[in-house]
Structures are given as structure tokens and as C-alpha cells.
Amino acid sequence: MEKTSSNNRLAWIAALLCCLIVLATLCLSRPSRNEQLEAVNQAGRAYVSARIDSLGLDSVPVMGNIMSEGAKWIGNEAMQSYLDSNFTFHDYYLWTTGTLTLRNGQQRRVAVGLLGHTWVSDKAEIGTAMVEAMQESAGSKLSGIVSTLLRALLLQP
């Protein structure tokens, strides 16, 4: 009878030790705020870059490539500024999440981090929010024809 009790005790200790190892691994490998912010930023940049590329500006002689790269450069600054002020990081000790405040005031969970990796949920929504931020930034930083051109490019479906 004592041998069975001893085996049960060892099994419980082994199970508890395994659980502690799993919890420690989850806790120590959760992504940081900067890692989540970079993943969301990359998703938004990829969406915006694809949208600008789909406009076919590269095919315009002489100025097309300059306009395309210029729009992306201006967009990157606006996107970073937008994320810095509208991204909220939540740390739950075993995993992390990130929410993005959209222009209409809604908060959307856009990132979940676990085991050192961040999964981004809706790239189109992030990209759309960033395009809106780019439009605002273009209107406040640029004037005249350049602002009008950039707004027209970004408003294309």
C-alpha cells in the first residue's frame, strides 16, 4: 500500500513540475510591446505598399517610381505616428494582446502574442486605418498639388 502512495505522490510532483515548466515558458517567451508594435506596423505597411503598387505608378514615365516611393515614405512616417498614439498593449503574463483604436473610436484587437510570436488578425483593417492616418498626415504636412495628388492616390479603391 505504501508503494502505491509513493508512486502517486511522485506522479503528482512530476505533473506539477511539468505545469510549472509550461507556465514559466509561456511567461518568459511572451512578446514585448515593441515586438507586437513592429508586427502590426509591418502588416499595415504591407497592405499600404500593395495598395500603392496596385495603382501602377511605376509604369508612369520618369516620375512614377519617385511618386510611388514617396507615397510609401510619407506613409511610413504617418503609420508609425498613428500606431504610437493608437496602439494599446495588454500583458496577461502568459500571453499578450494589442488593440488599435480606430478613427470612429472603436477598439479592435489586432494582435495576439504567445511563445515569442505575434499573430496579426486583420491586415486590411489595420491598413485601412493607416491609410486614413496617411490622408490626415498628408493634409497637415503637405500643401497644394502634392497633397491633392497623394490624397487622390490613397483614396483609390
Side-chain angles (χ1 to χ4, degrees):
M1 194 74 157
E2 280 184 37
K3 193 168 190 173
T4 306
S5 169
S6 175
N7 285 342
N8 283 342
R9 190 174 313 176
L10 283 176
W12 276 104
I13 290 173
L16 180 62
L17 186 60
C18 287
C19 287
L20 289 175
I21 289 171
V22 167
L23 289 175
T25 301
L26 288 172
C27 186
L28 295 174
S29 67
R30 69 189 189 277
S32 68
R33 180 184 195 280
N34 290 336
E35 291 169 333
Q36 271 204 350
L37 195 58
E38 182 58 31
V40 172
N41 195 9
Q42 282 179 353
R45 278 193 313 235
Y47 175 84
V48 170
S49 181
R51 188 168 176 177
I52 290 171
D53 288 343
S54 73
L55 296 173
L57 291 177
D58 292 340
S59 63
V60 175
V62 183
M63 295 296 286
N65 196 23
I66 293 170
M67 288 176 12
S68 175
E69 293 305 315
K72 290 176 188 177
W73 179 75
I74 290 170
N76 285 339
E77 279 192 29
M79 288 186 287
Q80 190 62 47
S81 172
Y82 173 76
L83 282 178
D84 286 342
S85 61
N86 292 299
F87 183 79
T88 307
F89 178 73
H90 307 278
D91 188 352
Y92 296 105
Y93 300 111
L94 300 179
W95 69 88
T96 58
T97 64
T99 57
L100 190 61
T101 304
L102 305 176
R103 284 183 50 147
N104 61 6
Q106 287 184 330
Q107 288 199 343
R108 298 281 298 188
R109 180 166 290 125
V110 293
V112 176
L114 182 68
L115 292 172
H117 183 74
T118 299
W119 289 273
V120 179
S121 62
D122 192 356
K123 294 177 183 175
E125 187 169 36
I126 295 167
T128 302
M130 290 183 169
V131 166
E132 290 173 355
M134 286 170 60
Q135 291 166 354
E136 280 185 18
S137 178
S140 64
K141 290 183 181 177
L142 303 173
S143 61
I145 196 162
V146 176
S147 175
T148 304
L149 176 64
L150 187 58
R151 283 177 182 230
L153 291 174
L154 294 174
L155 286 171
Q156 297 294 323

